[in-house]
Amino acid sequence: MKVAAPPLAELREVCQPQAKLQSRNGEHWAGRLYMRAISLRTTRQLVRTSVSPNTLTWVMVVCGVGAGAALLIPGLKGAILAALLFQGFLLFDCVDGEVARWKRQFSTAGVYVDRLGAYLADAALMIGAGVRAARGGSDLWISVGLATALGVVLLKASTDLVDVARARSGLLPADEESTQPRSQGIATARRLASIFKIHRVTNGIEASLVLLATAVADAAVGNIGPTRVALAAIAVITWGMVVAHLASILSSSRLR
C-alpha cells in the first residue's frame, strides 16, 4: 500500500522549526531564500520511503566532494557541474535533518557525518580550484588550493573545538551572548565583516558560485587568469578569517 504524502503545512511545522531557522548560525542565506522551499517538497516524497536520514547525509557528502572533483573538468562545464553539485550538497544538508525530524530518527553518527561532510566538501572545492588554476601554468597553484583548503578546515574546526573544550570542561554549549567579543576593536571588526559579508567566500556554496563566475570570465578572456585571481583572493580572505576568528573566540566568553 502506497503511503500518502503528508500535507506541506504539517511537514513544515515538524521539519523546519523556526527556533533553528532563525538562530544566528541556524540557516544559510540560500536556505532561507529558496532551498528550504525545495527541500520541503523533496522531503515530502522521501518520508514516504524507507530511506534513512544517515543515507541522505552520505549523499550530501558525495555531492560536496564531487563538486571539488568536477572542477578538474576544463572550461565552463566543470564549473557549472561544481556549482550544481554544491546546490545538491545544500539540498541534502536540509533534507537529511528534515527527514530525521519527521521520522524521529536521530543519531550521533548522523551529526558526525554531517560535520565531516562540511569539512570534506569545502576542502575538496578549494583543492579542485587549485588544480584547475594550475592547468597550463605553475604547480604552485595546487599549493595555494591546498593552503586554502587547510584554512577552511581550520575555520570550521576552531568553531567546533569550542564545543569540544566546553564539553570536556563539563560546561554546557556556548549561547549566542557568549560569542560577543569583549574587545571593542575586535567587536567593531566583526560588525564590519558582517556588513560586507566578505567572509562568505570561505563557504563552499559561495565559493562555487564565485568560481563559476570566474570560469565565465576565463572563457571571455581566453585564459585561466580570472580563476587564479579569485583563488588567490579566497586564500587571503580565508587566512585572514582564520586569524580573526581565533582572536574573536579567545576574546569572547565562549571558553569561560
Side-chain angles (χ1 to χ4, degrees), residues 75-77 79 132 211-227:
L76 269 176
K77 289 182 180 178
R132 184 181 183 88
L211 292 169
L212 174 57
T214 57
V216 173
D218 291 342
V221 301
N223 60 60
I224 203 74
T227 289

Side-chain angles (χ1 to χ4, degrees), residues 4-255:
L8 280 175
E10 182 182 352
L11 200 67
R12 183 178 294 106
E13 184 177 350
V14 174
C15 300
Q16 297 182 352
Q18 290 304 305
K20 171 177 171 54
L21 301 186
Q22 293 176 359
S23 65
R24 186 175 64 88
N25 293 318
E27 183 75 341
H28 190 276
W29 63 265
R32 291 191 298 271
L33 185 62
Y34 61 88
M35 191 56 78
R36 282 296 178 183
I38 299 171
S39 69
L40 194 67
R41 286 159 177 79
T42 305
T43 296
R44 189 173 186 235
Q45 301 306 316
L46 289 172
V47 295
R48 304 167 67 189
T49 72
S50 61
V51 66
S52 70
N54 285 1
T55 298
L56 297 170
T57 304
W58 279 111
V59 174
M60 178 199 80
V61 175
V62 170
C63 286
V65 175
L71 288 177
L72 305 184
I73 302 172
L76 269 176
K77 289 182 180 178
I80 291 171
L81 180 58
L84 289 175
L85 283 169
F86 239 103
Q87 291 299 308
F89 173 91
L90 178 59
L91 172 63
F92 285 101
D93 192 25
C94 295
V95 166
D96 62 353
E98 292 174 0
V99 171
R101 293 183 195 101
W102 184 261
K103 292 187 174 183
R104 297 185 181 278
Q105 294 179 357
F106 305 103
S107 71
T108 304
V111 175
Y112 177 81
V113 174
D114 185 87
R115 291 305 302 153
L116 178 65
Y119 281 60
L120 292 175
D122 286 1
L125 189 77
M126 299 308 175
I127 294 170
V131 175
R132 184 181 183 88
R135 187 172 289 112
S138 171
D139 287 346
L140 177 64
W141 288 105
I142 298 177
S143 298
V144 174
L146 289 168
T148 308
L150 175 60
V152 167
V153 168
L154 283 175
L155 268 177
K156 293 183 179 299
S158 62
T159 298
D160 288 343
L161 286 173
V162 170
D163 290 337
V164 173
R166 291 181 66 89
R168 290 188 177 182
S169 300
L171 300 174
L172 294 173
D175 55 26
E176 292 191 16
E177 184 179 349
S178 69
T179 65
Q180 301 303 316
R182 291 173 295 170
S183 166
Q184 189 59 42
I186 293 177
T188 300
R190 185 176 175 180
R191 282 194 297 271
L192 289 173
S194 179
I195 291 170
F196 293 106
K197 311 295 185 186
I198 194 171
H199 61 284
R200 285 183 171 173
V201 296
T202 64
N203 184 291
I205 301 295
E206 286 83 350
S208 67
L209 297 176
V210 169
L211 292 169
L212 174 57
T214 57
V216 173
D218 291 342
V221 301
N223 60 60
I224 203 74
T227 289
R228 290 173 177 170
V229 171
L231 177 59
I234 293 172
V236 170
I237 292 168
T238 297
W239 279 97
M241 286 298 302
V242 168
V243 174
H245 193 50
L246 287 173
S248 177
I249 289 172
L250 294 173
S251 69
S252 70
S253 301
R254 277 176 273 192
L255 299 179

